């Protein structure tokens, strides 16, 4: 079960599901939509905010750019 507090786990799952996406073209709206569509996600959608979505994006970005 994933919640908004699981930004790293969400980022890993989004990365797995969207391996060829250019992160420069990903919006926070896309992050939100993809997150709430995850079968493992079960949190209140209304709790999402810009800070949470940016955190997920940052985790994903760092995973993509880790040497």
């Amino acid at each position: 079960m994933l919640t908004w507090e699981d930004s790293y786990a969400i980022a890993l799952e989004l990365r797995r599901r969207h391996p060829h996406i250019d992160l420069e073209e990903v919006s926070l709206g896309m992050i939100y939509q993809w997150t709430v569509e995850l079968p493992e996600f079960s949190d209140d959608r209304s709790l999402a905010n810009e800070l949470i979505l940016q955190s997920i994006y940052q985790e994903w970005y760092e995973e993509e750019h880790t040497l």
Side-chain angles (χ1 to χ4, degrees):
M1 178 169 84
L2 295 172
T3 68
W4 292 118
E5 294 180 9
D6 301 312
S7 60
Y8 181 71
I10 291 170
L12 290 180
E13 187 60 23
L14 294 180
R15 182 177 182 228
R16 187 182 73 76
R17 290 174 178 263
H18 304 280
H20 303 294
I21 196 80
D22 178 358
L23 282 176
E24 299 295 323
E25 296 181 13
V26 173
S27 69
L28 295 183
M30 293 165 79
I31 296 278
Y32 173 84
Q33 192 60 45
W34 291 339
T35 299
V36 299
E37 290 173 354
L38 293 172
E40 305 87 359
F41 184 79
S42 62
D43 202 350
D44 185 344
R45 293 175 176 218
S46 69
L47 296 177
N49 59 45
E50 190 171 335
L51 186 61
I52 289 170
L53 298 172
Q54 285 176 342
S55 177
I56 294 168
Y57 180 89
Q58 185 65 35
E59 297 282 6
W60 189 352
Y61 183 88
E62 288 176 8
E63 277 298 310
E64 286 288 315
H65 295 87
T66 300
L67 296 174

